[in-house]
Amino acid sequence: MPPPPQDPDLAALFDAAIAARARAYAPYSRFAVGAALRDEHGRVHAGCNVENAAYPVGTCAEAGAVAAMILAGGRRIRALLVLGDGAGPVTPCGACRQRIREFADGDTSIHAADSAGVNRSFTLDGLLPASFGPETLGA
Ligand code: THU
């Protein structure tokens, strides 16, 4: 079992993700997830998964955290942590990798954690190589 993060920046993301996960609405999968990210101002934004009786309508924890960042005026993700008690590291789903890609750099850290601590750390490029983004559009 990994220990809780020692790095205070990572520990703040971990704590926020734990608190967010406690509010998850996941009656169908019973797989509660919390996510937390740090924006370019150093602020932490969190989200939880919100499922729906019409299953595909459910949203991931990362989507909530990104929405919270945008609402608060943040535009860049400096680091993100996703937390769930899975049978292995809980990494962002494919759609969420793209969602994160919009606001993060290739070398941005994405941490996968469970209740005990961070299991594995990735870069966005590692999770989503050769990605499509705003620059591709010339935006
Ligand atoms: N889920 C997330 O919220 N984030 C992830 O990174 C992986 C999956 C949610 C979606 C669904 O509510 C539940 O976990 C099971 O797939």
Side-chain angles (χ1 to χ4, degrees):
M1 288 267 249
Q6 297 291 312
D7 169 27
D9 285 349
L10 199 51
L13 291 182
F14 181 81
D15 292 347
I18 288 272
R21 186 181 61 163
R23 301 234 162 116
Y25 177 75
Y28 306 109
S29 73
R30 303 206 168 278
F31 192 76
V33 181
L37 64 85
R38 185 176 304 282
D39 72 13
E40 75 273 34
H41 308 294
R43 296 176 303 191
V44 172
H45 309 281
C48 61
N49 53 336
V50 182
E51 296 185 347
N52 193 284
Y55 293 176
V57 178
T59 51
C60 287
E62 295 91 323
V66 168
M69 177 189 79
I70 295 299
L71 178 62
R75 287 294 181 272
R76 300 301 297 168
I77 298 170
R78 298 299 188 214
L80 183 144
L81 182 149
V82 55
L83 184 145
D85 283 320
V90 175
T91 53
C93 76
C96 284
R97 293 177 194 201
Q98 185 66 34
R99 197 167 270 124
I100 294 163
R101 161 69 174 90
E102 185 74 12
F103 305 107
D105 299 323
D107 63 357
T108 298
S109 294
I110 313 268
H111 306 283
D114 62 21
S115 303
V118 173
N119 291 312
R120 284 193 63 181
S121 296
F122 305 85
T123 63
L124 176 60
D125 260 347
L127 292 178
L128 192 68
S131 64
F132 185 93
E135 318 79 50
T136 320
L137 293 174

